[in-house]
């Protein structure tokens, strides 16, 4: 399956939206503008500030790589992994920073939307597999 397959626009839109979200979340709040919120969330498991800063940088790079994988792959497991990762992150925030769920554009609305896009991509990939 090619990246710009015009015959599967729903899958293409899902992949682009998912990839954009991961790449943006990896680059902007973690690498370019090191968010204090990112450090605060990670501080619950990495109490040493310098280590948390390093971990946030590595996480940002990993998120960018994962976004690229989502963009260029047609493998179902990647989208299932995305669902598990997003649900796990949601659960983590719920435990350590539940007040974030009352903020605008909060983790719940973002993660549920991205999980829905992942399911759409999975359904589209399964349709493609069934037709081949």
């Amino acid at each position: 399956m090619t990246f710009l397959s015009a015959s599967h626009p729903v899958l293409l839109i899902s992949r682009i939206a998912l990839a954009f979200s991961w790449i943006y979340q990896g680059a902007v709040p973690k690498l370019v503008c090191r968010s204090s919120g990112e450090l605060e969330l990670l501080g619950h498991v990495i109490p040493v500030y310098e280590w948390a800063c390093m971990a946030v940088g590595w996480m940002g790079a990993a998120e960018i790589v994962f976004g690229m994988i989502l963009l260029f792959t047609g493998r179902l497991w990647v989208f299932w992994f995305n669902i598990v990762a997003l649900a796990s992150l949601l659960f983590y925030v719920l435990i350590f920073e539940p007040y974030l769920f009352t903020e605008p554009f909060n983790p719940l609305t973002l993660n549920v939307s991205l999980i829905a896009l992942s399911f759409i991509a999975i359904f589209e990939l399964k349709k493609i597999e069934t037709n081949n």
Side-chain angles (χ1 to χ4, degrees):
M1 171 186 340
T2 62
F3 165 65
L4 295 174
S5 176
S7 61
H8 306 291
V10 173
L11 178 58
L12 180 63
I13 292 166
S14 299
R15 289 167 57 192
I16 290 170
L18 288 166
F20 171 77
S21 294
W22 279 102
I23 293 167
Y24 181 88
Q25 291 298 327
V28 176
K30 291 182 181 71
L31 297 176
V32 177
C33 302
R34 184 88 25 110
S35 166
S36 61
E38 295 285 348
L39 290 169
E40 185 179 326
L41 273 169
L42 200 54
H44 295 288
V45 292
I46 303 176
V48 178
Y49 180 77
E50 291 79 17
W51 295 355
C53 286
M54 282 189 349
V56 166
W58 282 105
M59 287 170 47
E63 288 179 10
I64 292 168
V65 169
F66 186 63
M68 297 302 287
I69 291 169
L70 282 164
L71 187 59
F72 292 108
T73 191
R75 308 267 187 206
L76 282 171
W77 71 265
V78 175
F79 296 96
W80 283 113
F81 178 81
N82 189 49
I83 291 167
V84 170
L86 290 168
S88 299
L89 290 169
L90 198 57
F91 186 67
Y92 179 85
V93 173
L94 181 63
I95 290 171
F96 291 110
E97 303 286 343
Y99 74 91
L100 289 176
F101 286 82
T102 63
E103 299 293 320
F105 298 101
N106 62 63
L108 181 63
T109 57
L110 176 64
N111 287 26
V112 167
S113 298
L114 295 177
I115 287 170
L117 281 172
S118 296
F119 277 117
I120 291 169
I122 288 167
F123 295 144
E124 289 296 309
L125 283 169
K126 285 186 176 186
K127 282 197 308 194
I128 292 167
E129 287 177 359
T130 304
N131 292 334
N132 288 338

